[in-house]
């Protein structure tokens, strides 16, 4: 028989099954939504964390960079290049003249380089080769081949294993001043490359020593050649070329480097000469990039070469370098050291148009062109103008010196052509005389034969 009770409950059972199926689907969808929200939150947290740590890393790196700039800006001078020279007679102006509020305290690192010998701060940053201590020790014959001495430390001549001859400047272990200069020179010369800048070929940070390895400049410093070397006399042509070489080196620092670099210690002792008598600017321990860093690093330089405006305002600019170069130009003309009242002689000579003729270096007075000397003196006077903005740019100075050399070449060429022309005319005259003599002899023979 057919069960009516079962038939009456069938629709209800079907409804329950459908409801349960829908409920299960809804629960499944809710689970998916929850999973999606959870994954989204996790991804958002990861992204937010990456952004947060990225910002912190960027700020920390910017802070370290500012600290590095502050340390390199707050440097003290290397008084001497030391190559082929004796102890420098130049005195640090910063040690004898002080101004209220001129020196700002510099934050010192927690760990000194001397107490952290295992770490090399330039190994990955500078790109300059690091020399082993034992190679330098052997190349200097156990540090006996001394070339000179300065406040930075002694300078030695070294022959390295590959055969190259270099100059090694050793930082005295108790010199905190030199330690800052060491940092400045390596950081600057790692990116400054020009034929008229002394090339830093390497360094050494080992056994508590800091050493800078430079190309060897066989003719020493300009100061030594002008004042101490009695055997070798610089000709006027040499001096004119040296002036041009120095101006090109400074021009690269001011106009070619980014950011521009102010040398701040230009002097004849910091101009070195290679075996071809080509000049190169040296000693960048005092140099500073021309960027505002919020720090006043105080008066630095060498007495006799410092811009008077810098002394009164404590503001050193590229025009201050131009002033120092003007002093060097007068040294080339007169061979009078700034410590021997050079500017008094220059001021007296400037009272007459040809006054500079009276102070020309006697070693070259008979061989130089007085017109060229006067032209170079005019350039030097412009560099020494009391108002910095009226001083020429170093690029303009270079062009003016080039014009003097071009005029010199033209005069030499004209003299050569004139000499050749005179020789030619004399030779033609001799030939004509010989021809006349031959005709006379021929006519005499004809008469005798008749």
């Amino acid at each position: 028989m057919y069960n009516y009770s079962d038939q009456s409950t069938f629709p209800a059972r079907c409804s329950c099954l459908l409801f349960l199926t829908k409920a299960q689907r809804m629960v499944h969808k809710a689970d998916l939504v929850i999973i999606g929200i959870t994954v989204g939150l996790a991804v958002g947290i990861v992204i937010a964390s990456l952004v947060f740590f990225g910002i912190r890393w960027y700020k920390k790196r910017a802070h370290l960079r500012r600290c590095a700039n502050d340390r390199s800006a707050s440097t003290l001078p290397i008084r001497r290049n030391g190559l082929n020279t004796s102890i420098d007679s130049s005195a640090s102006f910063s040690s004898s003249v002080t101004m209220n509020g001129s020196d700002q305290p510099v934050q010192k690192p927690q760990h000194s380089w001397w107490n952290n010998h295992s770490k090399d701060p330039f190994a990955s940053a500078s790109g300059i080769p690091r020399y082993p201590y034992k190679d330098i020790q052997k190349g200097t014959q156990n540090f006996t081949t001394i070339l000179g001495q300065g406040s930075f430390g002694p300078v030695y001549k070294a022959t390295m294993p590959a055969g190259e001859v270099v100059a090694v400047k050793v930082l005295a272990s108790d010199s905190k001043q030199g330690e800052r200069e060491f940092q400045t020179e390596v950081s600057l010369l790692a990116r400054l490359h020009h034929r008229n800048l002394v090339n830093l070929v390497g360094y050494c940070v080992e056994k508590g020593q800091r050493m800078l390895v430079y190309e060897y400049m066989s003719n020493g410093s300009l100061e030594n050649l002008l004042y101490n070397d009695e055997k070798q006399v610089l000709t006027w042509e040499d001096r004119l070329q040296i002036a041009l070489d120095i101006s090109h080196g400074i021009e690269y620092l001011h106009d070619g480097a980014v950011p521009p670099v102010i040398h701040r210690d230009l002097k004849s002792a910091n101009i070195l000469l290679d075996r071809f008598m080509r000049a190169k600017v040296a000693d960048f321990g005092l140099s500073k990039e021309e960027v505002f860093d919020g720090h006043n690093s105080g008066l630095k330089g060498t007495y006799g070469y410092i811009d008077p405006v810098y002394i009164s305002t404590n503001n050193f600019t590229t025009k201050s370098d131009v002033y120092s170069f003007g002093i060097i130009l007068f040294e080339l003309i007169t061979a009078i050291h700034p410590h021997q009242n050079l500017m008094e002689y220059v001021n007296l000579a400037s009272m007459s148009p040809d006054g500079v003729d009276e102070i020309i270096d006697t070693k070259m007075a008979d061989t130089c062109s007085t017109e060229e000397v006067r032209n170079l003196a005019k350039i030097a006077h412009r560099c020494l103008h009391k108002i910095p903005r009226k001083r020429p740019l170093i690029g303009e100075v270079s062009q003016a010196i080039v014009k003097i050399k071009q005029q010199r070449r033209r005069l030499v060429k004209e003299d050569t052509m004139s000499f050749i022309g005179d020789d030619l005319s004399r030779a033609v005259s001799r030939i004509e005389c010989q021809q006349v003599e031959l005709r006379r002899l021929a006519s005499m023979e004809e008469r005798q034969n008749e």
Side-chain angles (χ1 to χ4, degrees):
M1 275 185 77
Y2 189 80
N3 191 345
Y4 288 98
S5 61
D6 293 340
Q7 186 177 5
S8 63
T9 59
F10 181 78
R13 292 177 179 175
C14 290
S15 299
C16 288
L17 290 173
L18 290 171
F19 176 79
L20 290 173
T21 303
K22 289 180 178 180
Q24 289 176 349
R25 290 177 179 174
M26 291 178 66
V27 170
H28 182 65
K29 289 180 179 180
D31 291 339
L32 291 176
V33 171
I34 292 171
I35 293 171
I37 293 172
T38 303
V39 172
L41 287 173
V43 173
I45 291 171
V46 171
I47 294 174
S49 299
L50 290 174
V51 172
F52 173 77
F53 287 110
I55 292 173
R56 281 194 62 183
W57 175 81
Y58 178 82
K59 289 183 176 180
K60 185 176 181 180
R61 184 179 180 186
H63 175 71
L64 292 174
R65 188 179 300 165
R66 285 196 299 272
C67 291
N69 287 338
D70 290 346
R71 286 195 299 270
S72 64
S74 302
T75 56
L76 293 173
I78 295 176
R79 297 264 45 86
R80 182 68 169 167
N81 54 59
L83 292 181
N84 285 348
T85 54
S86 59
I87 297 176
D88 186 20
S89 59
S90 304
S92 171
F93 196 81
S94 59
S95 63
S96 58
V97 179
T98 57
M99 296 180 65
N100 293 332
S102 64
D103 291 327
Q104 297 291 334
V106 181
Q107 292 183 351
K108 295 182 179 180
Q110 294 180 351
H111 300 284
S112 172
W113 283 18
W114 305 114
N115 298 326
N116 191 14
H117 306 315
S118 61
K119 294 183 179 179
D120 183 355
F122 301 107
S124 60
S126 67
I128 297 176
R130 176 176 174 175
Y131 281 75
Y133 179 87
K134 62 179 182 180
D135 287 351
I136 295 178
Q137 185 179 29
K138 183 178 179 181
T140 58
Q141 299 176 27
N142 200 22
F143 301 100
T144 58
T145 56
I146 190 165
L147 293 170
Q149 178 76 35
S151 60
F152 181 98
V155 180
Y156 300 93
K157 180 180 179 181
T159 303
M160 305 309 288
E164 73 273 23
V165 180
V166 297
V168 180
K169 185 158 56 177
V170 180
L171 171 62
S173 58
D174 58 347
S175 172
K176 294 299 180 184
Q177 169 184 331
E179 183 176 349
R180 288 191 294 270
E181 293 168 353
F182 182 91
Q183 298 178 49
T184 302
E185 287 216 49
V186 175
S187 60
L188 278 178
L189 292 179
R191 66 179 185 84
L192 299 177
H193 301 283
H194 190 268
R195 66 180 179 275
N196 296 120
L197 301 182
V198 173
N199 187 29
L200 180 67
V201 299
Y203 69 99
C204 176
V205 181
E206 193 175 336
K207 294 187 177 181
Q209 296 289 337
R210 302 290 183 271
M211 306 181 198
L212 295 171
V213 183
Y214 296 95
E215 60 177 317
Y216 177 65
M217 305 292 284
S218 58
N219 276 309
S221 70
L222 175 61
E223 181 186 59
N224 189 59
L225 286 174
L226 285 175
Y227 307 116
N228 301 327
D229 195 338
E230 297 294 336
K231 297 179 181 179
Q232 188 171 7
V233 178
L234 290 172
T235 65
W236 171 244
E237 187 175 358
D238 288 336
R239 300 181 197 217
L240 200 58
Q241 183 60 52
I242 288 170
L244 184 60
D245 289 340
I246 299 170
S247 68
H248 283 324
I250 303 170
E251 185 178 2
Y252 170 75
L253 295 177
H254 290 183
D255 302 332
V258 180
V261 174
I262 306 174
H263 190 281
R264 302 208 299 175
D265 197 21
L266 289 170
K267 57 182 179 179
S268 56
N270 285 344
I271 306 302
L272 303 183
L273 299 154
D274 64 14
R275 62 193 181 97
F276 301 110
M277 297 301 291
R278 302 305 296 266
K280 299 187 180 186
V281 180
D283 279 359
F284 290 82
L286 189 78
S287 301
K288 183 177 180 180
E289 294 178 341
E290 194 183 23
V291 292
F292 178 75
D293 54 15
H295 288 268
N296 187 342
S297 55
L299 290 174
K300 297 179 178 69
T302 301
Y303 178 75
Y305 297 87
I306 300 179
D307 179 8
V309 177
Y310 170 52
I311 297 174
S312 59
T313 65
N314 200 21
N315 182 29
F316 206 108
T317 66
T318 55
K319 293 299 182 71
S320 303
D321 273 353
V322 171
Y323 180 92
S324 301
F325 180 61
I327 298 292
I328 295 174
L329 289 180
F330 273 120
E331 284 189 90
L332 288 167
I333 292 171
T334 66
I336 301 174
H337 198 278
H339 296 169
Q340 299 171 338
N341 302 320
L342 169 62
M343 287 309 299
E344 291 186 11
Y345 287 99
V346 170
N347 292 333
L348 287 172
S350 64
M351 293 181 179
S352 63
D354 57 352
V356 71
D357 298 356
E358 302 298 324
I359 59 174
I360 293 176
D361 183 8
T362 55
K363 294 178 181 178
M364 66 164 188
D366 297 332
T367 59
C368 67
S369 165
T370 54
E371 186 64 28
E372 292 176 5
V373 173
R374 292 172 187 172
N375 290 335
L376 190 64
K378 290 177 183 177
I379 298 171
H381 276 297
R382 291 180 60 201
C383 293
L384 299 178
H385 201 287
K386 294 181 179 179
I387 303 174
R389 62 183 175 81
K390 292 188 176 181
R391 296 170 192 162
L393 297 172
I394 193 63
E396 297 171 343
V397 175
S398 296
Q399 292 175 3
I401 298 174
V402 167
K403 287 182 179 179
I404 295 176
K405 286 184 68 66
Q406 288 175 343
Q407 291 172 357
R408 179 179 180 80
R409 291 194 191 100
R410 187 161 52 249
L411 290 173
V412 170
K413 185 176 180 180
E414 290 175 358
D415 290 343
T416 303
M417 294 300 294
S418 175
F419 179 77
I420 293 173
D422 292 342
D423 281 353
L424 184 61
S425 63
R426 284 195 294 269
V428 170
S429 297
R430 284 198 298 270
I431 292 172
E432 289 177 349
C433 291
Q434 289 174 356
Q435 289 178 343
V436 170
E437 183 68 18
L438 288 172
R439 292 195 200 99
R440 189 177 68 82
L441 292 173
S443 62
M444 289 177 63
E445 288 180 358
E446 289 177 357
R447 290 191 189 125
Q448 290 177 355
N449 293 331
E450 291 176 355

